[in-house]
C-alpha cells in the first residue's frame, strides 16, 4: 500500500511540475491581482465620473421597485459589474494581441531556399537536354 501512495504522490508531483500547469497557476494568480485593479478602476474612478455625468446618481443606489414595494432590483450593481467585465476583457484582449504580435515577429518568414549550385544547374540542364533528345 505504501508503494501505491508513493507512486501516486510522485505522479502528482510530476503533474504539478509540468510547465503548462505552472503557467496556468501563475496566470490565475496574476488574473486575481488584475481583477482587484479593474474593480478599483471601475468602483473608485469610472463610476464616480459616470455618476457626475448622470446628475450625481450613484450606481449603487440605482434600482427598480417591482410590485408593492416588496421586490427591489438593484440594477446599478449589475451595470458596474458589466463595466468591470468590459474593462477586464479589453485589457486581456490588448495583452493577447501584444503577445501574438511578439510571437509573429519571432516567427519571421523562413529564408528562401538557396539557389542551386553551378553543378546542380549544369546537371539540370543536361537532364532537360536528354529528355528533349528522347522525344
Amino acid at each position: 500500500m505504501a508503494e501505491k501512495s508513493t507512486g501516486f504522490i510522485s505522479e502528482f508531483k510530476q503533474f504539478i511540475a509540468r510547465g503548462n500547469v505552472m503557467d496556468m497557476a501563475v496566470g490565475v494568480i496574476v488574473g486575481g491581482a488584475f481583477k482587484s485593479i479593474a474593480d478599483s478602476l471601475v468602483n473608485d474612478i469610472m463610476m464616480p465620473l459616470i455618476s457626475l455625468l448622470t446628475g450625481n446618481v450613484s450606481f449603487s443606489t440605482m434600482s427598480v421597485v417591482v410590485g408593492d414595494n416588496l421586490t427591489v432590483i438593484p440594477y446599478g450593481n449589475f451595470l458596474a459589474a458589466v463595466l468591470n467585465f468590459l474593462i477586464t476583457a479589453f485589457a486581456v484582449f490588448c495583452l493577447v494581441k501584444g503577445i501574438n504580435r511578439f510571437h509573429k515577429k519571432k516567427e519571421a518568414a523562413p529564408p528562401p531556399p538557396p539557389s542551386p549550385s553551378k553543378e546542380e544547374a549544369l546537371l539540370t540542364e543536361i537532364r532537360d537536354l536528354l529528355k528533349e533528345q528522347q522525344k
Side-chain angles (χ1 to χ4, degrees):
M1 190 87 161
E3 278 185 27
K4 286 185 179 181
S5 66
T6 305
F8 179 80
I9 292 171
S10 66
E11 189 176 335
F12 181 71
K13 285 180 183 177
Q14 287 176 343
F15 171 76
I16 291 297
R18 288 186 186 157
N20 52 357
V21 173
M22 297 304 284
D23 291 343
M24 185 178 68
V26 169
V28 167
I29 291 168
V30 171
F34 182 76
K35 182 185 179 325
S36 65
I37 293 171
D39 287 343
S40 177
L41 177 66
V42 169
N43 296 330
D44 301 333
I45 296 173
M46 295 192 78
M47 285 305 178
L49 292 174
I50 292 172
S51 72
L52 283 175
L53 296 174
T54 60
N56 284 337
V57 176
S58 174
F59 271 66
S60 61
T61 61
M62 292 179 141
S63 61
V64 172
V65 178
V66 181
D68 298 329
N69 293 334
L70 298 175
T71 305
V72 178
I73 301 174
Y75 68 90
N77 292 334
F78 175 73
L79 293 177
V82 169
L83 187 59
N84 192 346
F85 169 76
L86 291 175
I87 290 170
T88 305
F90 180 72
V92 170
F93 169 75
C94 291
L95 179 69
V96 169
K97 188 171 174 109
I99 290 171
N100 287 342
R101 185 177 297 145
F102 175 73
H103 285 299
K104 283 181 183 178
K105 286 181 182 177
K106 281 179 77 174
E107 299 170 3
S115 59
S117 66
K118 290 182 181 180
E119 292 89 14
E120 288 176 324
L122 183 61
L123 287 172
T124 303
E125 193 175 315
I126 292 171
R127 181 197 64 200
D128 293 343
L129 287 172
L130 287 173
K131 282 184 181 178
E132 285 180 22
Q133 285 180 356
Q134 287 179 356
K135 290 182 183 178

